[in-house]
Each structure stands twice: as C-alpha cells, then as structure tokens.
Amino acid sequence: MKIIGMIPSREGSKRLKHKNVYPLKGIPLIEYTIKAALGSKYFTKDNLYVNSNFDKVLDIAQNYGLNLITRPEYLADDKTWTQDVINHTDEVIGNLEDEDIIVVLQANSPQITPEKINECIDMFLKNNLWQVNTVDEFMINNGAIQVLKRKVKYHKGKANYNGVVITDWVDVHNMEDIKKLEKII
C-alpha cells in the first residue's frame, strides 16, 4: 500500500489574487502546507506532489524538490472539482492501486500541522476507513486535509467508512482571512 500526498493549487483565485502564494508573515501560503507535509511521518519529497497551473507555485514546489504535475487549464477554473484534480494526479502518477491512499492537503490552509496530518492518516489506517476529512467546530468539512482510498474516486454517491478530525483553522479566501491569521500565526 502506497501513501501519496497532493497539494492542489491553481492560479485563478478571484477573491484574493494569487492566494496560494500570498505572503502570510513573509511566507507564501503554500509553503506552510509543504513544510507541514514534509514534517509528517508519512511524507518525503518522493511521495509528495503539487498539482498546479501556476508557475510561481511550481517554482516553490521545485525548490523543495517535490514532484510537479502541471495542471491543464481546463482543470483550473472556478468550476473544477477537487475530485477532478485528484483524478488527474492519479492518472499522471499512473501506478496506484485501489487500496493505495491519496492525501489531499489544501494550499490555502496555513494552520495545517504535521501532527494533524499524522492524526488523520493514523485514524484512517487504524480504523480501516475509506475517507477521513478535517472539519470545523460545527462539523462542516473545511477541506484542509482529506485522506482517501484511491478507489473512492470511482464513487458516484455516498461513501462509507468515513471519519473526521476536528480543527479550528481558518482557510484563506480573502484579506479578512489573512488578517485573522496574522493575529494567530
């Protein structure tokens, strides 16, 4: 069983231009996610991928020695589902089995920590789940971390065997979010 991590990061944010490379305390947002992933016991530069259509994101990922997947423009608009990007990453990697694990880490969630990544994957493995997602205090999926068996990509409806890990993170979508995080980080 393989575990791969992917950080999806497109260029076209409308509410905060280039949000995934927006500097929070001088560090581009995506770097927080990259550093957290590389601090996890589950990831090295060999099994961590960045999927993007944005040269600045790909340059940052390359500086960390990560695997780069250049996203086609048809997968980089506002209406593109993360699932389509997961499928694209899977197709490019090309050698994953249905029981392998894909961990999606959002580039606009700078509060992700190695410990929380480990907690999500540990829960997934210990309980033989199909999916684990981070949720906020109201139990609403915040999308920061998503762990899934590869075979989940084929599901067109309800997925079974799910777990959640509670966080109190701010996902960045606009300047108001940046201002909140400047006080926290």
Side-chain angles (χ1 to χ4, degrees):
M1 173 181 58
K2 295 179 201 160
I3 298 175
I4 66 118
M6 68 159 287
I7 302 171
S9 177
R10 69 182 182 88
E11 179 178 16
S13 175
K14 291 196 170 44
R15 291 179 276 178
L16 179 61
K17 188 172 179 158
H18 299 144
K19 79 175 169 193
N20 293 321
V21 296
Y22 194 90
L24 175 63
K25 297 212 169 187
I27 299 170
L29 287 178
I30 193 170
E31 280 196 49
Y32 287 93
T33 302
I34 291 169
K35 289 176 182 180
L38 292 173
S40 163
K41 65 185 178 183
Y42 291 103
F43 297 112
T44 67
K45 63 182 181 156
D46 297 325
N47 68 336
L48 189 58
Y49 296 78
V50 171
N51 183 312
S52 185
N53 67 321
F54 189 19
D55 288 341
K56 287 182 183 181
V57 164
L58 294 170
D59 288 346
I60 291 168
Q62 187 171 32
N63 287 339
Y64 281 90
L66 304 184
N67 298 289
L68 308 178
I69 297 176
T70 303
R71 185 187 306 187
E73 289 304 316
Y74 74 90
L75 290 176
D77 65 28
D78 288 356
K79 295 177 180 147
T80 300
W81 289 74
T82 302
Q83 187 63 46
D84 294 332
V85 179
I86 294 169
N87 294 347
H88 175 250
T89 300
D90 178 36
E91 290 165 13
V92 170
I93 294 171
N95 63 352
L96 296 176
E97 302 292 328
D98 280 350
E99 294 300 314
D100 289 340
I101 299 167
I102 299 171
V103 181
V104 182
L105 304 165
Q106 292 297 345
N108 65 321
S109 300
Q111 291 170 289
I112 292 175
T113 64
E115 296 79 18
K116 203 55 90 169
I117 294 169
N118 293 343
E119 181 181 349
C120 290
I121 299 171
D122 289 344
M123 173 190 281
F124 181 93
L125 294 171
K126 179 182 175 190
N127 296 291
N128 194 29
L129 299 173
W130 288 12
Q131 246 179 290
V132 170
N133 295 291
T134 52
V135 297
D136 66 18
E137 62 186 303
F138 304 107
M139 303 304 284
I140 297 171
N141 186 335
N142 61 22
I145 302 172
Q146 179 184 10
V147 183
L148 59 123
K149 284 190 180 185
R150 179 181 176 263
K151 68 182 175 185
V152 169
K153 78 178 223 165
Y154 302 115
H155 290 204
K156 296 192 186 221
K158 182 179 179 257
N160 296 314
Y161 312 111
N162 295 335
V164 298
V165 172
I166 299 171
T167 66
D168 62 350
W169 297 336
V170 175
D171 289 332
V172 174
H173 297 288
N174 54 44
M175 278 308 295
E176 183 179 307
D177 297 332
I178 291 288
K179 289 176 183 174
K180 285 181 201 171
L181 283 167
E182 285 174 338
K183 296 176 185 173
I184 298 169
I185 292 181

